Amino acid sequence: MERVIFNEDHHAFRASAKEYCDRSLVPRMEQFLEEKTIDRAAWLEAGKQGFLGLDVPEEYGGSSVGDYRFNQVFAEEVSKVSAALSSCFGIHYDCAAPYFVDLGTEEQKQRWLPKFCSGEYVAAIGMTEPSGGSDLAALKTTAKKADGGWVLNGSKTFITNGDMADLVIVAARTTPEKGAKGITLFVVEEGMEGFARGRKLDKVGQTESGTSELFFEDLFVADDNVLGELDRGFIHMMERLAQERIGAAVSNIAHATQILDETIEYVKQRKAFGQSVGSFQYNKFLIAELVTKVEVTQAYVDNGVVAHDENRLTAVDAAKTKWWSAHVQNEVLDACVQLHGGYGYMNEYRVARAWRDARVTKIWAGSNEIMKELIGRDLGL
């Protein structure tokens, strides 16, 4: 079914995004996998092409397009290459950017955003803690007031881009007795004394994304690095989760669609019992179901993107797109592995890596169970 939400500008931007992916990402995938990170050259090239500043005003080095569909297009093209690369870039230009743009002071924007847009600075978001998971209100990282700033102590885990981030937005508890209303956001910068990175985490999938633990031990952060209002960090996070979740949905369904397309070509060529695997009735019916489910989900996600672009996307609707797209993505990729037979279980085949990479989408950005809890509460249950 034809997608109707894009215009000629979006199509031209997609062509540029695809060219970047084909030139700067695809030829180096084995390197990224081996090193378990995206090297700085790929970031700098993305910045040079203008992909990292889509939400950033021009005076700070961005393009300020004011149209979330451009974010969507870039995420889709990168997702076709790798779900892991999409998550790394997405955390930077799609998730972190609104924090800096919406909450930053003029001095902070001038200090950080030009290099953020160029790829000289890579950003990460430090919310998840070893004991907390999706429960952002239960943070244990603390920030105590000191002369001219704050002293941070604590740790974060599962931090995408954590291995190389120059700027980390860290949520810490500043007024413990106020619970969720006592959390503040800080920007921790590379080189600060007391800031340390743990090992690159050995994940089941998304090997090429640098995911790390972060540690803060008596880390002094000046008042100039407080992001947003004191004790309103939890609210700041909640206000920006809708974009994170619709962005996750965009990447989920683009990733599934690409691998399904490749699988359809595979079953046309693969022969068994004298005919193509795809021509067997069960497989034919299965693929028909998968294609329909993917297209229905794509239409739903596209509708969510338009709603977000028009400031109509609610937290509950964002939760719906996030959990459903992750569910469909995993269902589709599991079927694609099956359709590849034994080859689908081999790491050298993209379908195997994609299957592994997708599993985490039902966990991160708020687990699917948390998403359903939000939806259920909204229904009065």
Side-chain angles (χ1 to χ4, degrees), residues 38-56:
I38 312 170
D39 70 13
R40 188 69 66 163
W43 286 96
L44 292 172
E45 183 61 26
K48 182 180 179 180
Q49 298 298 322
F51 299 128
L52 303 181
L54 297 174
D55 283 342
V56 177

Side-chain angles (χ1 to χ4, degrees), residues 252-307:
N252 293 347
I253 198 60
H255 182 233
T257 300
Q258 176 65 27
I259 301 303
L260 178 58
D261 288 345
E262 294 176 16
T263 300
I264 291 171
E265 290 306 309
Y266 176 84
V267 298
K268 286 179 180 178
Q269 302 300 322
R270 180 71 174 172
K271 295 291 194 298
F273 303 103
Q275 62 187 97
S276 68
V277 171
S279 67
F280 291 110
Q281 186 183 64
Y282 176 83
N283 291 341
K284 187 186 302 182
F285 282 14
L286 172 61
I287 293 168
E289 292 174 8
L290 297 176
V291 168
T292 304
K293 189 169 291 187
V294 161
E295 291 190 7
V296 169
T297 303
Q298 185 68 75
Y300 186 56
V301 171
D302 285 350
N303 190 56
V305 167
V306 172

Side-chain angles (χ1 to χ4, degrees), residues 4-253:
V4 297
I5 69 169
F6 302 117
N7 59 35
E8 290 304 313
D9 290 338
H10 299 119
H11 294 315
F13 181 74
R14 187 182 296 279
S16 297
K18 184 179 186 305
E19 181 181 356
Y20 163 74
C21 291
D22 290 344
R23 184 181 65 251
S24 299
L25 300 182
V26 172
R28 300 162 71 192
M29 281 302 299
E30 292 305 316
Q31 173 194 337
F32 298 154
L33 286 164
E34 182 178 343
E35 297 177 355
K36 297 185 178 180
T37 194
I38 312 170
D39 70 13
R40 188 69 66 163
W43 286 96
L44 292 172
E45 183 61 26
K48 182 180 179 180
Q49 298 298 322
F51 299 128
L52 303 181
L54 297 174
D55 283 342
V56 177
E58 293 181 14
E59 58 263 37
Y60 307 115
S63 54
S64 191
V65 293
D67 182 344
Y68 190 74
R69 289 171 293 180
F70 286 98
N71 295 44
Q72 177 185 19
V73 166
F74 185 59
E76 288 178 349
E77 291 306 310
V78 178
S79 295
K80 292 176 184 178
V81 179
S82 158
L85 301 190
S86 181
S87 68
C88 290
F89 284 120
I91 286 292
H92 180 90
Y93 82 91
D94 198 46
C95 296
Y99 284 91
F100 292 117
V101 173
D102 299 343
L103 304 176
T105 65
E106 181 62 26
E107 185 276 332
Q108 289 173 337
K109 293 175 184 178
Q110 292 182 4
R111 179 158 41 119
W112 293 323
L113 286 177
K115 290 186 176 181
F116 175 97
C117 293
S118 69
E120 295 172 81
Y121 285 168
V122 172
I125 299 180
M127 295 184 185
T128 304
E129 297 189 346
S131 62
S134 295
D135 188 4
L136 297 180
L139 295 177
K140 292 185 178 180
T141 297
T142 61
K144 295 184 178 180
K145 194 70 181 77
D147 186 22
W150 301 79
V151 177
L152 269 64
N153 281 283
S155 64
K156 304 291 179 178
T157 194
F158 309 140
I159 306 304
T160 301
N161 295 340
D163 66 316
M164 67 184 306
D166 304 280
L167 305 171
V168 184
I169 300 170
V170 176
R173 192 171 297 284
T174 43
T175 310
E177 63 272 19
K178 293 172 65 175
K181 296 181 179 179
I183 294 172
T184 302
L185 302 180
F186 299 85
V187 178
V188 172
E189 300 182 60
E190 165 66 13
M192 285 184 168
E193 187 175 352
F195 173 38
R197 308 171 198 272
R199 60 192 173 87
K200 291 181 185 178
L201 299 176
D202 185 15
K203 307 185 299 294
V204 170
Q206 302 213 7
T207 307
E208 61 270 44
S209 70
T211 307
S212 300
E213 301 166 308
L214 304 178
F215 301 98
F216 318 107
E217 184 176 356
D218 294 331
L219 168 63
F220 178 78
V221 180
D223 287 328
D224 290 343
N225 280 40
V226 173
L227 190 62
E229 297 181 48
L230 185 67
D231 286 344
R232 285 184 57 83
F234 186 76
I235 300 300
H236 293 328
M237 290 187 286
M238 292 302 101
E239 289 172 342
R240 283 152 191 84
L241 278 176
Q243 177 154 320
E244 179 180 354
R245 287 168 180 164
I246 190 65
V250 166
S251 296
N252 293 347
I253 198 60

